[in-house]
């Protein structure tokens, strides 16, 4: 990388406007990233709380203790906060960081509007759920509660994230020279996200009034956004081990992700019934091919490293592989689909957990101790693995999705219900450790004005987390790493 001029002793690079980054730019970016991180981790916490009645409604012996109406409300809330607010909120974290690295001074004070809208939207969603307002609408990808407050919350959240996505698209388009693979992936993620919003608007404008159909195409596109951001996270977790050939392959396949985003809005305006099947098929191929190739590229790079992999990366790659195998085995309208979803969402979640640890270290100079991180990843990983296995087994036995119905068989360890229960408990403990260790750090404002190097240090470059539970080398921070916990 070319040397950059210094401003007040800090490295800086010219922004798109030609102005050099200043300490105020650094501080603003840190505040924005911190806000998005707080929102994302808070969403994961809410999703975990609402999983309790969802789990109880599917287990023999204890199902009678739960209300079927509240089961459906909890299911909507759990999916909304885990699949949308947590994952899409974290995408906003990385868009903000990547935009700041490409053009630090492009992050202006008005950019606080995006996270402010998103936070307001998330609060409205949570208030609707806590207040038990509106009938549950169990739509795929974007389930809802039929209440104006909930609809308004969705609009505020997705609109707030849309501002950040649009800003990143503009900044990336103005960048001089080719973008690195991770920035390229985030650019396509932002483009697809904006087209997902367009798809929902086109569906609504075409006269579709059923909420599940309005968000059907957009929901599929949001999963492509998650896939593209996951590729960027893999690239960062991998470190410097990706070869020039690997980067070139990623750059070549990533534009395929945009193909469904172009086709799906067009399918909404064709005469006749909604072509839901065609939308799903286009999305499946549009995300499956590039993400599968990216997975193979990252796995090959990891195998060439000759050292233990980052544990978050290793688990993420493993969960993605399992989810891919489940999809290839075939899925009917049963909880094998749920097993596939949990494996894929688990792959993204564990990668984002690893990125969160790195970012709290980079922005605040604080990170949980390595034994806590290791234990958290192992508990969460084992839990998701058992949960997926139990759901797949239950699906083979005919258990349907989204219903208040106990899994067949007894609640014993060697049963679908037993695996789901034990897996859920382990994953919950892993999630609690994650929130309990990162929450106190996020509760305070970033303290290290130089921790976020906008001029060239790899985003999320600290601290590596090996599969053997050791941190290979101490990260370089202005005030040193302070292990918490």
């Amino acid at each position: 990388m070319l040397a950059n001029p210094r401003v007040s002793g800090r490295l800086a690079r010219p922004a798109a406007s030609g102005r050099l980054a200043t300490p105020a730019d650094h501080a603003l970016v840190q505040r924005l990233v911190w806000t998005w991180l707080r929102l994302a981790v808070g969403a994961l916490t809410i999703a975990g709380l609402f999983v309790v009645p969802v789990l109880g409604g599917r287990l023999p012996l204890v199902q009678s203790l739960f209300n079927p109406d509240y089961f459906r409300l909890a299911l909507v809330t759990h999916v909304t906060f885990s699949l949308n607010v947590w994952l899409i909120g974290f995408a906003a974290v990385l868009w903000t960081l990547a935009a700041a690295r490409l053009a630090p001074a492009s992050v202006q004070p008005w950019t606080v509007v995006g996270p402010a809208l998103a936070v307001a939207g998330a609060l409205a969603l949570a208030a609707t759920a806590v207040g038990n307002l509106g009938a549950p609408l169990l739509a795929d990808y974007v389930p809802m509660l039929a209440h104006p407050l909930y609809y308004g919350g969705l609009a505020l959240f997705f609109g707030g994230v849309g501002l950040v996505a649009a800003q990143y698209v503009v900044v990336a388009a103005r960048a001089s020279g080719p973008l690195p693979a991770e920035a390229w992936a985030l650019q396509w993620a932002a483009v697809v996200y904006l087209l997902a919003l367009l798809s929902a608007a086109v569906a609504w404008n075409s006269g579709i009034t059923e909420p599940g159909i309005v968000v059907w195409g957009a929901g599929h596109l949001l999963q492509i956004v998650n896939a593209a951001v996951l590729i960027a996270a893999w690239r960062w977790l991998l470190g410097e081990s990706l070869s020039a050939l690997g980067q070139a392959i990623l750059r070549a396949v990533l534009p395929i992700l945009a193909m469904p985003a172009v086709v799906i809005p067009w399918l909404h305006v064709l005469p006749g019934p909604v072509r839901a099947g065609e939308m799903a098929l286009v999305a499946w191929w549009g995300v499956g091919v590039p993400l599968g190739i990216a997975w193979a590229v990252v796995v090959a790079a990891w195998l060439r490293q000759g050292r233990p992999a980052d544990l978050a990366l290793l688990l993420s790659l493993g969960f993605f592989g399992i989810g891919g195998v489940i999809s290839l085995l075939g899925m009917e309208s049963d909880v094998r689909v749920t097993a596939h979803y949990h494996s894929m969402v688990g792959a993204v979640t564990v990668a984002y957990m690893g990125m969160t640890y790195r970012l709290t270290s980079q922005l605040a100079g604080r990170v949980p101790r390595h034994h806590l991180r290791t234990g958290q990843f192992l508990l969460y990983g084992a839990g998701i693995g058992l949960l997926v296995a139990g759901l797949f087994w239950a699906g083979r036995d005919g258990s349907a999705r989204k219903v208040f119905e106990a899994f067949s068989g007894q609640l014993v360890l060697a049963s679908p219900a037993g695996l789901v229960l034990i897996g859920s408990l382990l994953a919950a403990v892993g999630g609690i450790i994650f929130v309990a260790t990162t929450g106190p750090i996020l509760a305070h404002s970033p303290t290290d004005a130089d921790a976020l190097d906008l001029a060239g240090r790899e985003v999320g470059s600290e601290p590596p987390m090996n599969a053997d539970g050791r941190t290979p080398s101490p990260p370089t921070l202005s005030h040193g790493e302070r292990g918490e916990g």
Side-chain angles (χ1 to χ4, degrees):
M1 179 174 292
L2 296 177
N4 296 304
R6 291 182 178 269
V7 176
S8 301
R10 295 176 174 84
L11 286 173
R13 85 180 341 172
S17 63
R19 181 169 69 85
L20 294 176
T22 67
D25 295 326
H26 288 245
L28 176 58
V29 172
Q30 286 179 315
R31 289 197 300 271
L32 291 171
V33 171
W34 220 240
T35 300
W36 284 115
L37 274 175
R38 287 167 173 168
L39 174 60
V41 174
L44 190 63
T45 305
I46 294 173
L49 293 175
F50 277 90
V51 80
V52 175
V54 176
L55 176 63
R58 302 307 305 263
L59 295 177
L61 300 180
V62 300
Q63 184 201 33
S64 60
L65 302 176
F66 295 88
N67 182 288
D69 292 332
Y70 197 75
F71 164 84
R72 285 182 279 271
L73 180 145
L75 181 59
V76 168
T77 308
H78 171 70
V79 173
T80 295
F81 278 90
S82 60
L83 188 60
N84 293 314
V85 184
W86 157 244
L87 297 188
I88 299 299
F90 205 92
V93 172
L94 299 186
W95 283 326
T96 302
L97 280 169
R101 292 192 75 234
L102 291 173
S106 67
V107 182
Q108 300 294 326
W110 66 265
T111 52
V112 301
V113 174
L117 291 176
V119 169
L123 291 174
L125 296 174
T128 313
V130 173
N132 197 9
L133 305 175
L137 304 173
L138 300 180
D140 285 322
Y141 302 118
V142 189
M144 288 168 260
L145 298 177
H147 192 277
L149 183 60
Y150 202 86
Y151 297 146
L154 286 176
L156 287 173
F157 173 76
F158 286 123
V161 175
L163 292 178
V164 181
Q167 182 204 21
Y168 182 70
V169 170
V170 172
V171 170
R174 293 178 177 176
S176 59
L179 296 174
E182 63 275 11
W184 185 245
L186 288 174
Q187 183 182 36
W188 286 110
V191 169
V192 174
Y193 181 83
L194 295 174
L195 290 174
L197 299 184
L198 175 64
S199 177
V202 169
W204 179 263
N205 191 59
S206 65
I208 299 172
T209 57
E210 184 180 342
I213 301 300
V214 170
V215 300
W216 174 256
H220 280 83
L221 295 182
L222 290 179
Q223 307 324 302
I224 296 177
V225 173
N226 293 331
V229 179
L230 176 62
I231 293 172
W234 282 345
R235 167 67 187 88
W236 276 317
L237 291 171
L238 187 63
E240 300 297 331
S241 302
L242 191 60
S243 65
L245 176 61
Q247 295 234 29
I249 293 174
L250 289 184
R251 289 179 57 83
V253 302
L254 282 168
I256 301 174
L257 293 168
M259 182 266 293
V262 175
V263 174
I264 286 177
W266 178 73
L267 290 175
H268 272 302
V269 300
L270 292 179
V274 176
R275 289 165 170 79
E278 288 88 341
M279 292 180 190
L281 183 63
V282 168
W284 194 93
W285 282 103
V287 70
V289 172
L291 190 54
I293 293 174
W295 179 84
V297 168
V298 174
V299 169
W302 162 56
L303 292 175
R304 289 196 304 270
Q305 282 184 337
R307 58 182 175 82
D310 183 293
L311 188 52
L313 175 64
L314 187 60
L315 289 171
S316 181
L317 293 172
F319 287 142
F320 176 83
I322 293 170
V325 170
I326 292 174
S327 68
L328 294 176
L329 292 176
M331 300 178 294
E332 303 297 332
S333 186
D334 55 45
V335 291
R336 280 177 290 185
V337 176
T338 312
H340 166 75
Y341 284 168
H342 278 81
S343 190
M344 291 301 191
V345 173
V348 184
T349 293
V350 76
Y352 289 177
M353 287 175 170
M355 288 296 295
T356 300
Y357 287 138
R358 293 174 178 224
L359 291 173
T360 55
S361 172
Q362 198 171 359
L363 272 71
R366 301 166 66 185
V367 67
R369 296 187 186 278
H370 73 80
H371 66 276
L372 283 176
R373 288 177 290 175
T374 303
Q376 185 264 312
F377 280 132
L378 293 178
L379 285 168
Y380 184 81
I384 293 297
L386 291 174
L387 172 63
V388 168
L391 289 170
F392 186 83
W393 186 355
R396 291 288 299 271
D397 289 346
S399 294
R401 300 170 59 207
K402 304 179 184 179
V403 296
F404 186 71
E405 173 187 276
F407 296 134
S408 60
Q410 300 297 315
L411 184 55
V412 295
L413 180 60
S415 69
L419 292 181
V420 168
L421 176 60
I422 299 301
S424 298
L425 292 175
L426 290 176
V429 173
I432 290 170
I433 295 174
F434 173 73
V435 173
T437 53
T438 58
I441 299 174
L442 293 173
H444 297 86
S445 298
T447 57
D448 187 351
D450 277 332
L452 182 61
D453 184 350
L454 302 181
R457 184 164 56 181
E458 190 74 22
V459 171
S461 60
E462 358 215 355
M465 184 63 179
N466 286 343
D468 60 7
R470 293 194 297 265
T471 301
S473 58
T476 302
L477 292 167
S478 299
H479 299 306
E481 177 182 346
R482 298 189 294 276
E484 301 296 317

